[in-house]
Amino acid sequence: MDPLLSLGAGLLLLALWARLKGLDYLLVHHRWVFVCLFLLPLSVLFDIYYQLRAWAVWKLHSAPRQHSQRVRHIQAQVQEWKNEGGKTYMCTGRPGWLTVSLRVGKYKKTHKNIVINLMDILEVDIENQSVRVEPLVTMGQLTAHLNPMGWTLPVVPELDDLTVGGLIMGTGIESSSHIYGLFQHTCLAYELVLADGSLVRCTPTENSDLFYAVPWSCGTLGFLVAAEIKIIPAKKYVKLHYKPVRGLEKICEKFTEESKKKENNFVEGLVYSLEEAVIMTGVLTDEAEDNQINRIGNYYKPWFFKHVEKYLRANQTGIEYIPSRHYYHRHTRSIFWELQDIIPFGNNPVFRYLFGWMVPPKISLLKLTQGEAIRKLYEQHHVVQDMLVPMKSLEKSINTFNSDLNVYPLWLCPFILPNNPGMVHPKGNELELYVDIGAYGEPKTKQFEARASMRQMEKFVRSMHGFQMLYADCYMNREEFWDMFDGSLYHKLREQMNCKDAFPEVYDKICKAARH
Ligand SMILES: Cc1cc2nc3c(=O)[nH]c(=O)nc-3n(C[C@H](O)[C@H](O)[C@H](O)COP(=O)(O)OP(=O)(O)OC[C@H]3O[C@@H](n4cnc5c(N)ncnc54)[C@H](O)[C@@H]3O)c2cc1C
Ligand SMILES: *[C@@H]1O[C@H](CO)[C@@H](O)[C@H](O)[C@H]1NC(C)=O
Ligand SMILES: *[C@@H]1O[C@H](CO)[C@@H](O)[C@H](O)[C@H]1NC(C)=O
């Protein structure tokens, strides 16, 4: 049996046992006990297993050989579904708790689960500057593989466990997106198994409708079995410049200005209150001044958002050279700032030096073991949302986030949105500068009520011609959803490719009612 599954099953039993024993109180109010004793060591084991596996597969060159066989296995399962009369919809067989999104799709229980066992890097093509990968390859796996070869992805979404498939079928973003766009805009080709069992490849010139319809479709047009992604030369360090800015107007002005500068390889903002932010700009470089190198990814280092806050409190600008891979995954160890709610003393130096190397606990394991009480608590008193809005409405948006949620820090990440066809594009005919505003934490507004407050936010975002990331809780009704997203190409393709009997509509997969 897959060691992962047996570990998962063991944990599930443990969590069940704990709840039966009336340990719910402990699990809710002192969750860190459980997290530190069980989840951290298990997370380490998981990582070791996956790293060894990826290394062995690459050394043995077995991935490319096995790939076509594995794809045939997926096609055979689709064929089987057809032979059975196609009675239910299909979905990927990856268990809901394994995904990074905090919610689990209810449909996994009722739809036919197609097992997609594709987790390897297939080929790094230096000549054409691309990498071909299977969909379950993670960001951590890719940077660990590419960076030592001197290459990297143009857009490396933060968390180690984010998968290529999820980032293409949903979306992904990083502090280099003001140059390269969203994760899908750095992709050159997708290979999919469609509802009829056929295998197709699509690019901007070959089956281009499909190519542009895939992002944000969340697996409702077909199963992704491989993707080609552009790669760019990596450098050793990111020279990072920290600048505290005070006053909302100034913050927005400065952030917009920096996001438009092409010489900035990275731009990011952390907003600590309505009037205070630190804006960071980074440039890739191979040279570094020794006394300014900061290996922020080392386990004993302070959490990144706490480190950045120091510049704000001191009211001082600063420059540091950060090893590239440490930069790419700078928010991984603290899961942005989510970990402070789970392990309140996690940033204490004593904890960091002793146990920091086991952090972070895997989000998948946290989800698997959280239990109903914590889930409900989180649903009502915790938000994890990313809203993508045009840069020109940044000030208005931060004000709205402040009055409706009052969650800090806010994550600001600029990105350029090309006017490609598909579900997400700017209103006008030109490409447009957008910004992702991420709110992760406990809302401090008195009147916060999950459903009502989020509906209000969603309405605001629609009125700005913005977009909600689909991994998050979505309270819109169908009509509102298709008001936010452009469904014209998507619906046309669903019709053409007989998707309507094979996959649910994307709204029915991601709306609040479909997930718990
Ligand atoms: C705490 C937290 C932090 C986050 N941080 C970031 C961040 O730093 N940067 C960022 O860009 N995003 C971030 N996200 C959001 C993230 O982009 C989405 O969750 C994204 O969808 C990737 O998640 P995943 O790899 O777990 O994909 P999944 O949730 O597994 O997949 C997303 C969708 O794609 C579909 N899908 C996946 N693989 C396939 C396939 N092979 N064939 C067909 N359909 C498929 C799934 O069915 C699902 O509907 C964060 C989310 C959370 C909860
Ligand atoms: C690079 O791309 C060209 C054109 O698509 C192709 O002919 C060539 O084989 C590719 N190179 C490698 C090393 O795959
Ligand atoms: C921060 O520094 C700037 C310039 O160095 C100064 O103008 C400003 O008054 C300072 N703000 C605070 C709150 O100390």
Side-chain angles (χ1 to χ4, degrees), residues 95-113:
W97 59 268
L98 263 177
T99 68
V100 169
S101 161
L102 297 182
R103 301 285 172 249
V104 174
K106 290 179 185 162
Y107 54 84
K108 292 274 182 193
K109 289 202 195 98
T110 50
H111 295 1
K112 176 162 176 90
N113 283 220

Side-chain angles (χ1 to χ4, degrees), residues 123-129:
E123 192 190 356
V124 182
D125 180 349
I126 306 283
E127 189 188 309
N128 288 329
Q129 306 208 347

Side-chain angles (χ1 to χ4, degrees), residues 190-227:
Y190 308 130
E191 294 163 45
L192 293 115
V193 169
L194 302 181
D196 63 1
S198 63
L199 174 66
V200 295
R201 184 183 136 95
C202 57
T203 71
T205 50
E206 175 189 355
N207 297 314
S208 63
D209 271 359
L210 182 58
F211 181 79
Y212 290 117
V214 159
W216 299 76
S217 70
C218 291
T220 57
L221 292 171
F223 296 107
L224 186 72
V225 295

Side-chain angles (χ1 to χ4, degrees), residues 94 100 135-139 159-168 183:
R94 189 179 189 218
V100 169
L136 287 173
V137 165
T138 65
M139 286 304 107
L159 302 186
D160 280 15
D161 289 340
L162 293 167
T163 65
V164 167
L167 294 167
I168 289 171
F183 188 80

Side-chain angles (χ1 to χ4, degrees), residues 412-475:
L412 299 186
C413 183
F415 69 102
I416 195 80
L417 188 61
N419 65 334
N420 294 339
M423 278 174 64
V424 168
H425 54 77
K427 198 164 185 63
N429 293 324
E430 304 276 311
L431 83 185
E432 189 172 342
L433 189 61
Y434 269 64
V435 53
D436 173 0
I437 307 178
Y440 323 119
E442 191 184 325
K444 298 286 192 314
T445 36
K446 282 204 193 66
Q447 70 280 18
F448 181 81
E449 196 277 314
R451 189 183 146 79
S453 304
M454 277 323 301
R455 278 190 57 76
Q456 199 167 314
M457 289 285 307
E458 289 164 349
K459 186 172 172 199
F460 168 79
V461 171
R462 283 199 304 280
S463 74
M464 294 292 116
H465 201 73
F467 309 94
Q468 179 176 39
M469 272 208 199
L470 300 184
Y471 76 85
D473 285 350
C474 163
Y475 292 88

Side-chain angles (χ1 to χ4, degrees), residues 280-307:
M280 285 161 278
T281 54
V283 176
L284 285 163
T285 169
D286 278 324
E287 318 300 327
E289 316 220 0
D290 272 345
N291 58 353
Q292 289 179 24
I293 295 178
N294 187 358
R295 302 182 183 280
I296 56 165
N298 288 351
Y299 68 86
Y300 47 83
K301 288 282 183 173
W303 287 346
F304 186 65
F305 74 100
K306 289 288 185 193
H307 172 64

Side-chain angles (χ1 to χ4, degrees), residues 199-308:
L199 174 66
V200 295
R201 184 183 136 95
C202 57
T203 71
T205 50
E206 175 189 355
N207 297 314
S208 63
D209 271 359
L210 182 58
F211 181 79
Y212 290 117
V214 159
W216 299 76
S217 70
C218 291
T220 57
L221 292 171
F223 296 107
L224 186 72
V225 295
E228 274 172 45
I229 314 168
K230 182 178 158 143
I231 54 175
I232 57 172
K235 297 225 169 116
K236 282 200 198 117
Y237 300 98
V238 174
K239 180 182 181 184
L240 195 64
H241 187 258
Y242 304 84
K243 185 171 176 51
V245 185
R246 289 192 157 82
L248 183 57
E249 202 177 319
K250 275 219 185 92
I251 293 173
C252 296
E253 207 177 82
K254 179 81 183 154
F255 187 72
T256 308
E257 181 191 315
E258 294 296 345
S259 303
K260 286 180 178 166
K261 285 190 195 155
K262 291 284 179 273
E263 64 266 30
N264 288 329
N265 296 118
F266 305 99
V267 180
E268 173 184 30
L270 295 188
V271 185
Y272 290 90
S273 77
L274 189 56
E275 299 290 326
E276 301 172 304
V278 177
I279 294 174
M280 285 161 278
T281 54
V283 176
L284 285 163
T285 169
D286 278 324
E287 318 300 327
E289 316 220 0
D290 272 345
N291 58 353
Q292 289 179 24
I293 295 178
N294 187 358
R295 302 182 183 280
I296 56 165
N298 288 351
Y299 68 86
Y300 47 83
K301 288 282 183 173
W303 287 346
F304 186 65
F305 74 100
K306 289 288 185 193
H307 172 64
V308 176

